[in-house]
Amino acid sequence: MAETARERPGRVILEDATLKTLTYRKLMVGTDVLAQSLRDTVSSAERIGLLLPNVNATPVVILALWRLGKVPPC
């Protein structure tokens, strides 16, 4: 995904029910920012639980958790 994001940073990859779009660049920046923010917040346990809406925030959160080495919800 990171390679494709470098090749096509402005390409729209998601659109939610409110018609808000998410580009590769926004996805990657959001992932980095959220991972930094969550680094001190999440416990040392491997698995964590989240309740997420069906919007563009979901893939950003999942990727941020992967970046932190956490197992996101299925």
Side-chain angles (χ1 to χ4, degrees):
M1 179 175 283
E3 183 178 329
T4 304
R6 278 190 292 277
E7 294 172 0
R8 299 181 179 111
R11 183 173 184 181
V12 174
I13 56 170
L14 292 170
E15 182 177 273
D16 67 14
T18 64
L19 303 180
K20 291 187 180 180
T21 59
L22 189 65
T23 63
Y24 275 113
R25 176 178 288 125
K26 288 180 182 179
L27 175 66
M28 300 309 282
V29 169
T31 297
D32 287 341
V33 170
L34 186 58
Q36 289 175 6
S37 177
L38 290 175
R39 189 173 312 279
D40 296 330
T41 306
V42 295
S43 69
S44 61
E46 182 181 344
R47 293 183 178 264
I48 63 169
L50 294 173
L51 179 60
L52 296 170
N54 188 16
V55 295
N56 291 345
T58 301
V60 174
V61 172
I62 290 172
L63 290 172
L65 291 173
W66 282 343
R67 176 153 295 181
L68 295 172
K70 304 297 179 187
V71 178
C74 296

